[in-house]
Amino acid sequence: MIRFVDVKKTYLNGVQALKGINLEIHDGEFVAIIGLSGAGKSTLLRSINKMIDITEGELYIDDVEISSIKGKELRMLRRSIGMIFQSFNLVRRMSVFNNVISGRVAYHSTFKTLIGRFPAQEKILALESLEAMGILDKAFARADQLSGGQQQRVALARALTQQPKLILADEPVASLDPITTIQVMDDFAKINKEFGITIIANMHHVDLALKYANRIIGVKDGLVVFDGKSTDITEDILVNIYGRTLKHDEVLGE
Amino acid sequence: MTNVQQTYLKIPKRWKINLIFSIAMLVALIYSFAGSEINILRLSSVFYSFKYMILAYTKINWDLVLGMGIYPFSDGVVYMALETLAMAFFGTLLGGILAIPLGFLSSETVGGKTGSRIGSAVLVLIRVFPEIILAVVLLKGFGINSMTCVMAIGIHSVGMLGKLFAEAIDNMDKLPLEALDAVGANRWQKIRFGILPQIAADFSSVTLYRLDINVRSASVLGIVAAGGFGAMLSYASAPENQSVLAALMVVIVPMILIMDAISGYLRGKLI
Ligand SMILES: Nc1ncnc2c1ncn2[C@@H]1O[C@H](COP(=O)(O)OP(=O)(O)OP(=O)(O)O)[C@@H](O)[C@H]1O
Ligand SMILES: [Mg+2]
């Protein structure tokens, strides 16, 4: 469970990106965070694995307050949280398999990982993750030989190989075409249902957010302005989150 | 004046600078020819020695080249070529190994602002010493032997290799490092899984290129520090020893051409 208590974030340049966030996110949820560009979605998401440090308030993960942890303790926290990025963030010149197994490094001593020695069951785990994402046949291809959608699946396999309880995704489909987008979102749904992993995703396309997430968090100007079931979203609520009526094509995200 | 006219006046008038620059170049060119005292007499003497050169190449002393007959193998030019290649190889290896930590330190990505300043300063300091000078300095410590050449080549190579390694590190894709941070990797694990796989090809390519350069410098470095073609090359520099020079050239020229081709081929494979 993740709990935000009056969380604020002010960047060094004085921009206040989060202005007092209070949230509880429970295990197994599929949450979509929506809002205008600059609303603070990335800041909110990245504070959960401390890729960004909050400046005020408290943030609990499974009742452990994380804002002061660092070093080894921080790495132990991060290894239990998968993260997916808009640009996939794979090492393009490395094989798919090595990219995926790199999700395990924080489970081992520096020496063992430097010589590239991983236990057999972890290599199997990496291959099983690739199979779950439907790209086992690409295991020994170089990452840059794959299409965008396939690369995002490699990134998902890397996250799965961490055996995380939670996956954070910062606009995971923003650089994919509409058809690939559906496939990757289906993969997220599968990971959420079959593996029981909590998913929190920043989404640009409202229609996708409504279709895939059970819960929507609307962020506006550093504050949560809507928090509820995706089935409860109305036109008025969207107008409030986005400050204006969305055009048909914006909702559909085509 | 309209906005277009005002903006028109702001278009830089490059032609003036271009013209001045061109004239300056022309003047410098004419001056350098005038200063070099080219005259017919000098030119004819160049052609005269050219004639002897051609003659020398028509009757190469193959015993001297191959180290046969009255010449022991270790006095032959081919043996010297092998020694030269070995000096270049070990010098490059030494330089490449030393350049890795210095390259990492000098990159902003790994060394940060401070590290990159310190590392770059060290690398510049190394680069200012030509190999010949390094060899002369090192003679005191290592004596007159090929080890001195290896050390001089190695140290000098660090200057270029370290700089290019650092550039490769700073130019690579940084996004995978963000992903590794999110996975909980520590500094060394990030280098192993985020940096090395991205720069290994660049490192090898740059080092191969340096090997190519080092074969050339090892060929002449022996003149000051012994080893390789050294002694024979200084002997051959006297005008009356054209035939020895010829014996050297038939080995050195193909050796460098072949090295060039091999290094180019391997670098092409790496991209
Ligand atoms: N590293 C930073 N330094 C300073 N200001 C920042 C930094 N990162 C973000 N900001 C500012 O914080 C605010 C929130 O940014 P954030 O990236 O969280 O928005 P977002 O909702 O993710 O936007 P987008 O949809 O464009 O990704 C913005 O005003 C942004 O300019
Ligand atoms: Mg963002």
Side-chain angles (χ1 to χ4, degrees), chain A residues 46 75 89 93 105 110 114, chain B residues 178 184 186 189 192 198:
Chain A
R46 283 160 186 260
R75 296 199 296 275
N89 296 18
R93 283 180 163 181
V105 291
T110 302
L114 287 191
Chain B
E178 187 187 23
N186 65 28
Q189 292 166 335
R192 166 68 177 78
Q198 289 200 72

Side-chain angles (χ1 to χ4, degrees), chain A residues 6-24:
Chain A
D6 209 25
V7 166
K8 294 178 184 163
K9 168 67 184 179
T10 309
Y11 283 106
L12 289 176
N13 62 359
V15 174
Q16 198 176 5
L18 301 179
K19 299 178 176 168
I21 302 284
N22 289 289
L23 275 178
E24 254 182 42

Side-chain angles (χ1 to χ4, degrees), chain B residues 208-232:
Chain B
L208 275 170
Y209 179 52
R210 187 69 222 187
L211 176 64
D212 197 6
I213 297 174
N214 285 346
V215 169
R216 289 155 219 248
S217 34
S219 302
V220 293
L221 217 51
I223 295 179
V224 293
F229 304 110
M232 198 184 275

